[in-house]
Amino acid sequence: MNADRDELVRLLQAYAGEAERLSQVFAERHALHATDLAALLAVMQADRAGDPLTPGRLGRHLGLSSGATTAVVDRLERADHVRRARDDRDRRRITLHYGAAADQVASAFFGPLGARMEEVLAGYDAAELAAARRFLGDATEMVRDYRQAVTGDPV
């Protein structure tokens, strides 16, 4: 690797570390265990992508037993962070969705961060944003593929 590539990897590691620390602050302020926060983020991302998780998929994603997954979902549901819903096509299938309370606390906490991100992004032109989007997409896919290879986990 050359110096520019080394610096890019260092910056990615620094970003990941800061994002993790910020997530910990959010979790602490809202009395969420790290596993609960990971579950909440997974549910939110899947729900927003239009492919809501089932409890089974969530458990596989988190590496939890079905009993532990049920306990996490129950805690999040009691706090209105997650809600269970029956699938319209298959009423036996339960899907998980982002709850109203989660949306409120996340908006209040992360909204100012989003505004700051908009300010940062405004400093880049379309070509720079396209290159950054391509790089981050490729890097995320590469890390996901590696994680799946070392764990044997397809999720």
Side-chain angles (χ1 to χ4, degrees):
M1 279 191 164
N2 66 29
D4 287 337
R5 290 179 182 190
D6 288 344
E7 178 65 4
L8 187 55
V9 169
R10 187 195 68 72
L11 288 169
L12 280 171
Q13 291 167 337
Y15 172 81
E18 287 300 326
E20 177 62 27
R21 284 190 283 284
L22 183 60
S23 293
Q24 289 171 354
V25 170
F26 176 79
E28 288 169 8
R29 288 193 180 170
H30 296 94
L32 293 170
H33 184 276
T35 302
D36 294 358
L37 179 60
L40 183 57
L41 290 173
V43 168
M44 178 196 69
Q45 290 168 347
D47 201 13
R48 288 186 176 168
D51 185 23
L53 294 174
T54 62
R57 280 181 54 207
L58 176 62
R60 286 189 298 280
H61 176 77
L62 298 173
L64 299 176
S65 68
S66 63
T69 302
T70 298
V72 168
V73 173
D74 286 349
R75 281 193 304 272
L76 292 173
E77 190 174 44
R78 278 192 302 276
D80 196 26
H81 290 310
V82 167
R83 64 181 172 77
R84 291 175 170 102
R86 294 213 177 268
D87 189 297
D88 291 335
R89 294 170 300 212
D90 181 353
R91 301 288 296 157
R92 296 169 297 174
R93 184 174 181 254
I94 301 294
T95 55
L96 303 171
H97 302 272
Y98 205 52
D103 193 40
Q104 290 172 345
V105 296
S107 293
F109 187 87
F110 291 108
L113 179 64
R116 289 177 180 198
M117 181 61 79
E118 286 297 322
E119 292 174 12
V120 169
L121 293 174
Y124 295 87
D125 65 30
E128 290 171 317
L129 290 173
R133 183 175 47 250
R134 186 174 133 240
F135 170 75
L136 289 173
D138 290 349
T140 300
E141 185 176 333
M142 178 269 306
V143 170
R144 181 179 46 246
D145 290 349
Y146 183 71
R147 176 187 50 79
Q148 289 171 337
V150 299
T151 64
D153 183 6
V155 179

